[in-house]
Amino acid sequence: MLLERSLLRWSCLSVVVAVSLVLTACGTSSKSVSRTTAAVEAAEPSVTDSAAEPGNRDRTAIESAASKLAGPVAYRLRTANGQVLQVSALGIDVKQEIDPDRPTTIVEVAANGDIHTVIDIGPLLGPLVSANPGAAAAVDAARVELWQDSTRIIIDARGIQVLVDFNPSSDLGPFAPGLAVIDLTALGESGHEDLVAALVGSTVVDPIVLGARLPSAFDKIERDPDDPSKYLASASYADVLEAVGGADFERLVRAAGLGIARALRLDLDDLTAYYVRQFESIRTDVVITIGDDGALSSLEFSADLSSVFVQLFAEDSGIEFDGATEADLAEASAAVADARWLVTGSTTFELDESIAFVPPEGDFEDRTEAAGRFLAGLVSD
């Protein structure tokens, strides 16, 4: 029965897990940052006959702020997330404020393009099991650390053993708990992006590319009349995350949802299409701050994702739940009818010339073949 309480709860929390992966879109990298001349030129302010118009002037200001981070510079990104998640029928009531002192993701990009990423899963998933103190404490400590250059990814995933303990049937592929290395040269360029998106949602936020993409994603943008350092904008959730993540949004969602589709025996094409439809229809408010030095300083967003739950079991969701009857789906739909899910995110940009790191060395498990099989699942599932 679909409506067995534990299974329904797991189905809903699985949606949170998949979307939480996408929420880290400001946080991780699929490849070393290449600050090519083309990328920098793409972010240079463009002067047109309509540049003096308020909307275009504001877009140009954002492009200009991002371009000040151009060149072989080292920088740090800190992303923190918050959420309100309430599903009364399932006893889920989570209110999690953004904690700037505990970012969900920290990305350090060295001047040579190498990347070090720490993903703190606890703030995202810990509150979801807060009713069980032991489980909450275990999940709160869950984290993943990655080091990446142009040829390999080194993964320390020992901290996510607890996620497998909660759901032994889960398939994390090359990101199973442990210490591992993946040869990126054997995967190809697109393989880079899909592989890391499957774990953490997206590519690194290159401020240069962000400055070029983000303004064009907005259907509305204006300077804050109360604070001239801030710009207020709105766009669809899909457009914002694609611009921020720097990757094809549909492929990003597909990669993030692969493990969930397998765990719940759902068709990956159907699940991907559902997420894409939802995210394209959800409006997102964005606040961009430019620092005193004129450079891009921070980006904040907020969105109401309640419909992702409310429509999950609807007839027109396009998702088929294995073994579920019409009565099961109707009851499940009623159970999540009052679901409320609000998400917020904040990313700060910080130049730091001292950033340098040496990836750990050791006899790590080679999971390149496992990565290849996992990527093949994105096509065959």
Side-chain angles (χ1 to χ4, degrees), residues 246-267:
D248 178 83
F249 184 71
E250 184 171 347
R251 188 177 67 211
L252 168 67
V253 172
R254 185 178 181 85
L258 176 58
I260 303 303
R262 288 178 172 175
L264 297 179
R265 299 190 301 277
L266 304 177
D267 183 89

Side-chain angles (χ1 to χ4, degrees), residues 147 152-156 158 178-182 359-368:
W147 294 263
R152 62 178 182 169
I153 297 178
I154 295 175
I155 306 167
D156 182 351
R158 292 173 294 182
L179 295 168
V181 61
I182 296 173
E361 297 294 339
D363 187 18
F364 299 148
E365 179 184 356
D366 187 338
R367 294 183 182 170
T368 305

Side-chain angles (χ1 to χ4, degrees), residues 2 23 30 34 122 187 344 376:
L2 176 69
L23 284 180
S30 66
S34 175
L187 299 179
T344 55

Side-chain angles (χ1 to χ4, degrees), residues 198-364:
L199 176 66
V200 285
S202 183
T203 61
V204 72
V205 178
D206 183 341
I208 307 308
V209 177
L210 175 64
R213 291 183 174 183
L214 197 55
S216 63
F218 297 139
D219 50 38
K220 175 185 177 183
I221 182 171
E222 63 182 6
R223 201 162 193 170
D224 187 340
D226 299 321
D227 186 345
S229 70
K230 293 184 177 181
Y231 292 82
L232 312 179
S234 66
S236 75
Y237 194 61
D239 285 343
V240 170
L241 291 185
E242 183 168 72
V244 171
D248 178 83
F249 184 71
E250 184 171 347
R251 188 177 67 211
L252 168 67
V253 172
R254 185 178 181 85
L258 176 58
I260 303 303
R262 288 178 172 175
L264 297 179
R265 299 190 301 277
L266 304 177
D267 183 89
L268 181 58
D269 290 336
D270 293 344
L271 183 63
T272 298
Y274 175 73
Y275 282 140
V276 169
R277 287 196 304 273
Q278 287 292 318
F279 292 162
E280 286 179 342
S281 66
I282 292 171
R283 307 310 301 165
T284 305
D285 294 324
V286 180
V287 178
I288 296 173
T289 302
I290 297 177
D292 293 338
D293 59 357
L296 186 65
S297 176
S298 68
L299 182 148
E300 302 173 11
F301 76 88
S302 59
D304 185 344
L305 302 186
S306 301
S307 64
V308 176
F309 273 117
V310 173
Q311 298 179 26
L312 180 63
F313 302 105
E315 290 185 6
D316 59 355
S317 71
I319 300 176
E320 294 188 9
F321 290 87
D322 188 32
T325 66
E326 289 186 9
D328 289 334
L329 293 174
E331 190 174 351
S333 183
V336 298
D338 68 344
R340 183 168 178 252
W341 193 15
L342 311 178
V343 298
T344 55
S346 174
T347 296
T348 60
F349 304 84
E350 175 190 4
L351 292 173
D352 185 348
E353 295 181 357
S354 69
I355 292 177
F357 46 84
V358 177
E361 297 294 339
D363 187 18
F364 299 148

